[in-house]
Amino acid sequence: MSIEDINNAAAAQNALTARINGFMDDADDQIGQRQQAYDNLAGNLRGVVADEMHWVATVDPAAVEVTGNDGTYQTIKAAIDDAPRGGMITLNIAEGVQLTLADQITSVKAQHVRLVSANPSDKSRLIFPTYVNNAVNNGYNRFSLLYNAHISLIDLELELQAKSDPALPWASNGAAPFQPNFGQMGSITLEDCEVFGSDGGGLINAYQSALTVSMRNCTFDGAFSGIVNGQNGTINLAYDNITLLNGAALRTGGTVGTNVIEG
């Protein structure tokens, strides 16, 4: 082996040693950064969990979607599906928009979902289309509550569209756009909302489920009922200052049970 070969081998060895040392330094830096991030998380775990479980987003069908907490979504379903189970989910409906619930079923799973007009003086409108089920009956596109979920509707206009086929009846389990799933429990709150409907439909259905409902400062306008079809289910209802116009009713069907106090 020549002197030149020995020098080249030594240079290669030195380069390899320098590279290994640099890698070790980088690894130590990254380990330190991750350790610091872990320490920060552990020191503020309650705050991190609180931030993640109090989830806020904007719903605007014309906006570019930016997913995640403090994000923007084009549909309510996409926002709810992205939000954490068990969390408090506030969805601000963009000012003055008319937003159609395009999905037949939007599931709310162990969440408290607050649907709120971004600007109460220019209320956003949620529109609930209807569909025909197997040429037998009509149903609304709807929210389905599971695992004791809760929905709050605040400062909104709600439009319950007419039957898709006027000759067919309403489905027992689809006669309203808000209801728990079969055998489930849930709760619904309406505050300062205006609801427009027709064709004898309903807003809330407790078919084969248990439901707690609270309504305050709302107007119902048209031939529909706030609550329909309590068949094989139970409803606890509290209400105050409900205005009924043009054939609207607070409830239809069901029987007021015994040992119940009404104010």
Side-chain angles (χ1 to χ4, degrees):
M1 178 179 290
S2 67
I3 297 297
E4 183 179 357
D5 290 338
I6 293 173
N7 290 338
N8 289 339
Q13 181 64 43
N14 291 337
L16 178 60
T17 300
R19 185 173 182 183
I20 291 174
N21 289 338
F23 171 79
M24 296 299 293
D25 290 342
D26 289 343
D28 287 342
D29 288 343
Q30 291 185 29
I31 291 171
Q33 292 172 11
R34 284 162 174 74
Q35 183 63 49
Q36 185 62 54
Y38 175 81
D39 291 344
N40 291 341
L41 174 61
N44 188 32
L45 187 58
R46 180 179 295 179
V48 171
V49 171
D51 288 343
E52 286 299 314
M53 298 304 283
H54 188 193
W55 205 83
V56 180
T58 297
V59 180
D60 185 346
V64 175
E65 284 202 340
V66 179
T67 61
N69 202 350
D70 292 325
T72 300
Y73 293 82
Q74 293 180 346
T75 69
I76 293 174
K77 186 178 189 304
I80 291 176
D81 287 348
D82 215 19
R85 299 293 180 263
M88 169 76 80
I89 317 301
T90 298
L91 301 181
N92 295 305
I93 313 302
E95 179 178 347
V97 303
Q98 297 194 13
L99 183 63
T100 298
L101 194 75
D103 298 282
Q104 186 169 320
I105 296 179
T106 297
S107 295
V108 182
K109 300 176 181 178
Q111 297 158 311
H112 182 162
V113 176
R114 301 174 70 249
L115 303 177
V116 185
S117 280
N119 181 2
S121 64
D122 186 11
K123 291 182 178 179
S124 308
R125 175 173 289 214
L126 302 185
I127 300 172
F128 297 91
T130 61
Y131 62 92
V132 172
N133 182 31
N134 295 325
V136 174
N137 48 41
N138 292 273
Y140 287 103
N141 287 3
R142 64 187 185 272
F143 290 94
S144 180
L145 280 62
L146 295 94
Y147 317 128
N148 208 21
H150 180 87
I151 292 182
S152 294
L153 306 161
I154 304 169
D155 289 313
L156 292 167
E157 293 181 353
L158 309 176
E159 179 183 328
L160 314 181
Q161 294 196 331
K163 289 180 178 179
S164 293
D165 187 340
L168 296 176
W170 290 107
S172 296
N173 64 339
F178 295 94
Q179 69 178 65
N181 203 9
F182 299 133
Q184 296 281 333
M185 301 175 65
S187 53
I188 298 171
T189 300
L190 277 81
E191 296 183 21
D192 301 297
C193 290
E194 300 174 55
V195 188
F196 305 90
S198 62
D199 282 351
L203 178 65
I204 297 168
N205 188 355
Y207 179 70
Q208 295 185 355
S209 59
L211 190 58
T212 298
V213 179
S214 176
M215 304 176 181
R216 185 169 65 91
N217 299 333
C218 294
T219 298
F220 296 169
D221 190 345
F224 76 99
S225 296
I227 295 174
V228 294
N229 196 3
Q231 181 181 349
N232 299 323
T234 61
I235 301 171
N236 294 319
L237 172 62
Y239 61 94
D240 180 52
N241 193 27
I242 306 300
T243 301
L244 304 175
L245 302 174
N246 299 314
L250 182 63
R251 64 178 181 85
T252 300
T255 302
V256 177
T258 58
N259 300 320
V260 176
I261 298 175
E262 287 192 282

